[in-house]
Amino acid sequence: MRPIGIDDIELATAHHVVDLSTLAEATGTDPNKFRLGLGQDQFSFPAPDEDAVTMGAAAAAPIIERCGTEGIRTLLFATESGIDQSKAAGISVHKLLGLPSQVRVTEFKEACFAGTAALQAAIGIVSRNPGERVLVIASDVARYELDSPGEPTQGAGAVAMLVSADPRLIEIEQVSGLFAADVDDFWRPNDSTTAIVDGGLSVTAYLDALSGAWDDLQEQGGPALAEIDRILYHQPFTKMAKKAQLHLGQHAGEELSCDLPEIGADGVARVGSQDAASADRQGAAGEAPGTPRDTGLATSTLYNRRLGNTYTASVFAALAALLDHDDDLEGRRIGFFSYGSGSASEFFTGRVLPGYASRSRRDDVAEALDARVPLSVEAYRALHSTVLGSADDVETPRVTSAPFRFAGVKGRARVYERS
Ligand code: HMG
């Protein structure tokens, strides 16, 4: 059977950034609560002319440039920041990217899990016809109420992936562990722009789902923990991945390293002597006997601690960080834990293919993260409180420097354009 998996991957984020040290100062919070307690340094925040559509299109555009459109007959858009109750956000992306008309476009929803659901559906489509390629886009704006415990975990970003037969990056393996449970830990009613969350419950629901999905993976004949070289988690805030790693190690009976990056005197997060913009990490090889096994936890958090929660894109942003910073991945098995509140979750695995390192996007991602325009807390909060309705025609101010923008509302419909 031909391998099927991720052939290309690209990350995009929003125009603005809020530094959590400024939020800490404005709210009289110890900055270490955010930096060490939550494992977050910053969060991306969209300009008024950005949303999940513009970020998703920005992530997908370089993939289309590199790989062309041949064989792409499906576009799956995963989001919980949907822009319409009926029309799939992917339809607007399809137009912005200039894709051919002969494409099946739809939207996937189940909180942060939807990106994984879309990836698995894409694999199913390619299994049926290996000549087809599927564009999967996971894009979200995570928004909580001001002054709520969730506020410092907000974020924005998108990951696009091209799924194909004979992929160049990762072959996704067949066995998955699944877990679903009806739990009111986090949700967003139709008339609310911010999520409602029971923070404590959400953390335990996530960990319960992790053991549930892990047990199912084992029952389905999936690999033992010792056979998984790197592990990626959904990262609503990166400390959650540390909690998950500790939980999984205890549950499956192996001591795994739970170290997050070290924070230098300059405030930059580093793995060993390295940071998101410099050289590669050493990988798990060369660990002294008896030390907890390093499964790439710290490396996988390098992007998310600067992006904030990107909901559906989060576990794939962790993958992007790992691919960009770990030079010892060839042939290694990666475990992915995807959690979506509500809840649905999946533990699946994939093998990294030879040549992955030559496709590193590390410098581009570092440049994009550094290029974000900082917002003062006052300016961010004013933007946060601006809710654009659909009742009147409106033109958004021209702010973003991304390739696509949300131009406004006309006749109650959202209008998108190239910048
Ligand atoms: P909180 O008020 O920040 O909680 O809310 P806390 O007071 O317990 O502090 C958090 C941590 O900071 C604690 O460490 C403190 O000890 C530490 P922990 O016990 O967790 O190891 N701390 C400090 N550390 C160093 N220096 C200090 C200091 N002060 C305190 N000075 C909460 C935390 C997660 C509840 C909040 O951020 C929240 O509501 N977040 C939103 C919900 C969320 O992200 N849940 C995660 C699981 S659910 C999920 O992942 C799904 C989701 O992505 C949505 C989807 O599926 O679509 C959310």
Side-chain angles (χ1 to χ4, degrees), residues 61-95:
I63 293 182
I64 298 298
E65 258 168 51
R66 286 194 289 272
C67 307
T69 59
E70 201 185 329
I72 299 182
R73 291 176 55 79
T74 305
L75 189 172
L76 304 178
F77 194 101
T79 190
E80 61 178 287
S81 328
I83 44 127
D84 192 274
Q85 299 286 3
S86 169
K87 186 175 176 178
I91 295 283
S92 305
V93 173
H94 172 270
K95 181 181 173 193

Side-chain angles (χ1 to χ4, degrees), residues 30 32-33 37 80 111-112 144 149 202 234 236 239 243 309 340-341:
D30 179 348
N32 280 335
K33 171 163 185 191
E80 61 178 287
C112 306
Y144 295 94
S202 75
H234 167 54
K239 176 82 165 288
K243 289 177 193 282
N309 196 349
S341 284

Side-chain angles (χ1 to χ4, degrees), residues 371-390:
R372 290 171 299 169
V373 177
L375 283 175
S376 67
V377 171
E378 205 180 24
Y380 135 68
R381 288 191 158 192
L383 268 183
H384 186 288
S385 306
T386 308
V387 177
L388 192 67
S390 68

Side-chain angles (χ1 to χ4, degrees), residues 92-148:
S92 305
V93 173
H94 172 270
K95 181 181 173 193
L96 288 172
L97 295 177
L99 295 178
S101 305
Q102 291 69 34
V103 178
R104 175 193 290 125
V105 184
T106 194
E107 189 164 304
F108 276 56
K109 178 167 76 176
E110 173 22 49
C112 306
F113 175 66
T116 296
L119 173 65
Q120 293 291 10
I123 290 168
I125 289 167
V126 177
S127 307
R128 187 161 178 171
N129 182 359
E132 284 193 28
R133 302 186 296 169
V134 178
L135 186 58
V136 172
I137 300 174
S139 182
D140 268 303
V141 178
R143 215 167 263 208
Y144 295 94
E145 270 183 38
L146 298 178
D147 293 316
S148 70

Side-chain angles (χ1 to χ4, degrees), residues 275-358:
D275 62 48
S278 65
D280 297 329
R281 68 188 279 278
Q282 296 301 308
E287 278 163 4
T291 51
R293 185 159 68 92
D294 179 1
T295 59
L297 174 71
T299 305
S300 75
T301 63
L302 286 171
Y303 292 162
N304 283 326
R305 56 182 304 128
R306 299 186 67 189
L307 292 167
N309 196 349
T310 56
Y311 291 158
T312 53
S314 168
V315 71
F316 303 109
L319 171 64
L322 189 77
L323 292 173
D324 288 352
H325 293 87
D326 188 335
D327 66 359
D328 183 30
L329 286 181
E330 202 168 297
R332 302 257 182 214
R333 178 181 273 134
I334 301 180
F336 299 75
F337 176 63
S338 175
Y339 175 76
S341 284
S343 74
S345 54
E346 181 160 350
F347 203 116
F348 62 101
T349 59
R351 284 263 185 208
V352 182
L353 294 155
Y356 80 94
S358 64

